Amino acid sequence: VWHEFTPLAAKVKAVNLGQGFPGWLPPKFVQNSLSEVSTTSNFLEQQYARSQGHLPLCEAIASRYTSMLGRTVNPMTEVAISNGASGALFQTIHGFVDPGDEVVLITPAFDLYFAQTETAGGVCRTVPLRRRENKQEVAEGGEWRLDMKELRAAFNDKTKVLLINTPHNPTGKVMTRPELEEVAALLRDFPRVVCICDEVYDQISFTPHVPLASLPGMWDRCVTIGSAGKLFSITGWKVGWCVGPQHLVQCSAVMFQWVAFSVCTPAQVAVSNCLRVANEPYEGFPNYYSWLLNEYSRKRDIMRAALTAAGLEAVEPQGAFFFMADTRRIRLPQKYLDLVAGGMARDWAMCRFFTEVIGVCAIPPSAFYDPVDAGLAANYARFAFCKPDDVLHEAAARLLALREYQAPEPAE
Ligand code: PMP
Ligand code: GLN
């Protein structure tokens, strides 16, 4: 999906709200951290890092998770640095999954979970999130619901991994404590299963984010994954990590030792500095992360207003930097209906139409589903709002053209 829509957006000069990467320079303290390491007098900071991670970075991460999880995390044994969260997922999935093992994914699911499970010889079992209809339930638990009966039914004696992602890409769902407690109960019933917790958006959560590993008994069952790319708007640095008990993190670290052996040392040195400075007051906020969350809340408000003004239903995210928009009432022009008739998923044709005709690129969420239930994505498009305000405003202006393609309001 990235190979198609990023070049297409560039070709037709669409405003790109497709691929989710921040459209601004990282903060000065982040830029300075990297320029300082380039002139360091410590030659070791230019050489291979310790395979499991440069120690100052492991220490900064251990300290971050010590406060987030309410337990002391050992930087030597309970942290492993990776090539972005993508690398963390790869080495963890490949560390655990043997041919024939099953991996339970909650869909829509970030596309590389499927491919990484399959390259490890594993089999994906998917459980779809469902839209809530009852307004009261939406107010209490958000727009998307995980059916615990369906989740339990996906488990069997071949299940090796459960992968959860909160805050969630692409829906923005943030799992509530009661939901996580039910997941914990399920994991207790299946002691062989390891839970991979993709929490790369942990600081971009508009409602309290609860790490599963902080629940009673869950530390020993979880590998929690994070990314400096999301925290500091530096997706190109590719620094990510895994945190968990030694017996689990070791599987991931050993796998990595035979792949790239170590992650870019200067980037690790710089990120360790960023994690330290981020806790200090920033731009009038108690720390950098509160500033970041405030920025994303503002951008979310601009995006919601843009989608609503264009006549799309904006499905409220509780975290991350995406909106799912309901496109049910858009009437596609004939050219795109022909693509659907030729077998293209409706959401895919819709995102082509948005990019080519409306001039705003969005991502078709069917890329985040197993083909058997990709139909659940038919009426949605994902818009990323991690872009400068002027870009969001330009997108808003262009999206107004969608009003011409609206089917009339259904009669009451
Ligand atoms: N997990 C999720 C849910 C993501 O959305 C992304 C990237 N946007 C990643 C993992 C990969 O992170 P990284 O860029 O650090 O590889
Ligand atoms: N995670 C980002 C997104 O969902 C980018 C993914 C990628 O380019 N692989 O948009």
Side-chain angles (χ1 to χ4, degrees), residues 2 18-21 110-112 169 201 230 322 363 368 382:
W2 320 112
Q19 195 180 25
F21 60 87
F110 187 42
D111 58 349
L112 57 70
N169 176 3
Y201 300 103
K230 312 290 175 204
F322 309 104
I363 289 295
F368 288 51
R382 189 197 81 171

Side-chain angles (χ1 to χ4, degrees), residues 82-155:
S82 57
N83 188 20
S86 311
L89 287 158
F90 178 88
Q91 68 198 53
T92 308
I93 291 173
H94 281 250
F96 291 127
V97 175
D98 290 322
D101 284 343
E102 293 190 1
V103 174
V104 176
L105 303 178
I106 295 162
T107 53
F110 187 42
D111 58 349
L112 57 70
Y113 303 164
F114 295 94
Q116 293 186 347
T117 299
E118 285 161 16
T119 54
V123 176
C124 300
R125 285 228 166 223
T126 58
V127 180
L129 291 176
R130 311 264 179 204
R131 263 304 278 292
R132 285 201 170 98
E133 279 163 23
N134 179 306
K135 289 252 180 323
Q136 183 59 32
E137 285 174 19
V138 171
E140 285 161 13
E143 292 276 1
W144 301 86
R145 179 176 65 85
L146 175 60
D147 185 320
M148 289 298 163
K149 285 202 191 76
E150 283 185 90
L151 182 63
R152 190 170 276 272
F155 276 58

Side-chain angles (χ1 to χ4, degrees), residues 270-344:
V271 170
S272 66
N273 189 54
C274 295
L275 285 165
R276 197 176 44 73
V277 179
N279 295 322
E280 296 170 3
Y282 185 78
E283 299 280 333
F285 287 85
N287 55 48
Y288 159 75
Y289 302 118
S290 337
W291 172 84
L292 182 74
L293 184 60
N294 183 63
E295 282 295 289
Y296 276 117
S297 316
R298 238 175 17 76
K299 290 176 188 297
R300 177 200 52 182
D301 295 348
I302 300 175
M303 190 77 243
R304 184 196 307 107
L307 295 170
T308 312
L312 294 171
E313 186 201 350
V315 186
E316 193 66 20
Q318 299 161 300
F321 44 56
F322 309 104
F323 257 99
M324 291 278 262
D326 191 324
T327 64
R328 192 175 315 248
R329 291 186 45 233
I330 303 290
R331 282 190 296 210
L332 278 172
Q334 194 57 44
K335 174 180 162 193
Y336 296 93
L337 288 174
D338 290 347
L339 293 176
V340 177
M344 182 181 279

Side-chain angles (χ1 to χ4, degrees), residues 156-396:
N156 60 51
D157 57 10
K158 292 197 191 126
T159 311
K160 180 67 89 54
V161 168
L162 166 66
L163 210 163
I164 64 169
N165 170 213
T166 180
H168 183 250
N169 176 3
T171 64
K173 176 180 171 61
V174 173
M175 290 181 77
T176 60
R177 187 176 288 275
E179 276 174 324
L180 291 166
E181 277 163 359
E182 289 193 68
V183 170
L186 179 58
L187 289 169
R188 277 186 210 104
D189 292 343
F190 287 85
R192 173 177 178 268
V193 175
V194 175
C195 189
I196 302 180
C197 308
D198 179 343
E199 299 183 5
V200 296
Y201 300 103
D202 57 8
Q203 292 292 348
I204 311 172
S205 190
F206 311 115
T207 171
H209 161 72
V210 181
L212 178 61
S214 67
L215 266 55
M218 286 299 108
W219 164 258
D220 277 327
R221 307 296 305 281
C222 296
V223 175
T224 303
I225 287 177
S227 167
K230 312 290 175 204
L231 292 184
F232 300 114
S233 306
I234 46 170
T235 59
W237 291 24
K238 296 302 298 182
V239 175
W241 50 81
C242 315
V243 174
Q246 179 174 9
H247 67 279
L248 299 184
V249 162
Q250 201 168 28
C251 295
S252 177
V254 166
M255 181 68 219
F256 177 66
Q257 192 178 328
W258 304 122
V259 182
F261 178 72
S262 74
V263 171
C264 174
T265 313
Q268 293 196 59
V269 174
V271 170
S272 66
N273 189 54
C274 295
L275 285 165
R276 197 176 44 73
V277 179
N279 295 322
E280 296 170 3
Y282 185 78
E283 299 280 333
F285 287 85
N287 55 48
Y288 159 75
Y289 302 118
S290 337
W291 172 84
L292 182 74
L293 184 60
N294 183 63
E295 282 295 289
Y296 276 117
S297 316
R298 238 175 17 76
K299 290 176 188 297
R300 177 200 52 182
D301 295 348
I302 300 175
M303 190 77 243
R304 184 196 307 107
L307 295 170
T308 312
L312 294 171
E313 186 201 350
V315 186
E316 193 66 20
Q318 299 161 300
F321 44 56
F322 309 104
F323 257 99
M324 291 278 262
D326 191 324
T327 64
R328 192 175 315 248
R329 291 186 45 233
I330 303 290
R331 282 190 296 210
L332 278 172
Q334 194 57 44
K335 174 180 162 193
Y336 296 93
L337 288 174
D338 290 347
L339 293 176
V340 177
M344 182 181 279
R346 179 181 182 273
D347 64 319
W348 208 284
M350 184 64 70
C351 288
R352 287 254 188 108
F353 160 68
F354 284 161
T355 310
E356 292 171 341
V357 179
I358 304 298
V360 178
C361 177
I363 289 295
S366 58
F368 288 51
Y369 279 93
D370 184 83
V372 295
D373 45 30
L376 292 170
N379 293 330
Y380 293 102
R382 189 197 81 171
F383 291 84
F385 57 84
C386 46
K387 302 294 164 188
D389 292 3
D390 58 337
V391 172
L392 296 176
H393 289 305
E394 174 62 23

Side-chain angles (χ1 to χ4, degrees), residues 59-69 199 202-203 226 231 241 275 289:
E59 283 165 354
I61 289 168
S63 139
R64 176 171 196 260
Y65 284 87
T66 293
S67 35
M68 279 173 63
L69 303 181
E199 299 183 5
D202 57 8
Q203 292 292 348
L231 292 184
W241 50 81
L275 285 165
Y289 302 118

